[in-house]
Amino acid sequence: MMRQLTIIFWSVLFGEVIGYIGGTLEQLDYNFGEIGIVAAIFALVVVNSITYITNHSQPAKGSDNK
């Protein structure tokens, strides 16, 4: 659970910074709520899918299937 909270915290933080810079460069409105939610969801999906893929890519220890 703490890992998920850490991912959410840092993704929202980085998402806000990137969203602010990108919004300024493109001269768009800065909507902090939307940017934080989208960044958190995107980060959770990416990190959890990478973890799932890497955990299931190696055979279990003691398995004959190598």
Side-chain angles (χ1 to χ4, degrees), residues 29-45:
D29 292 333
Y30 174 69
N31 189 350
F32 63 90
E34 249 180 63
I35 292 172
I37 292 170
V38 170
I41 292 171
F42 181 76
L44 284 172
V45 168

Side-chain angles (χ1 to χ4, degrees), residues 6-16 35-36 39-41 43-44:
T6 305
I7 292 169
I8 291 171
F9 173 77
W10 284 107
S11 65
V12 168
L13 187 70
F14 287 136
E16 295 294 334
I35 292 172
I41 292 171
L44 284 172

Side-chain angles (χ1 to χ4, degrees), residues 19-31 35:
Y20 178 77
I21 293 170
T24 303
L25 290 174
E26 293 294 325
Q27 298 176 350
L28 299 172
D29 292 333
Y30 174 69
N31 189 350
I35 292 172

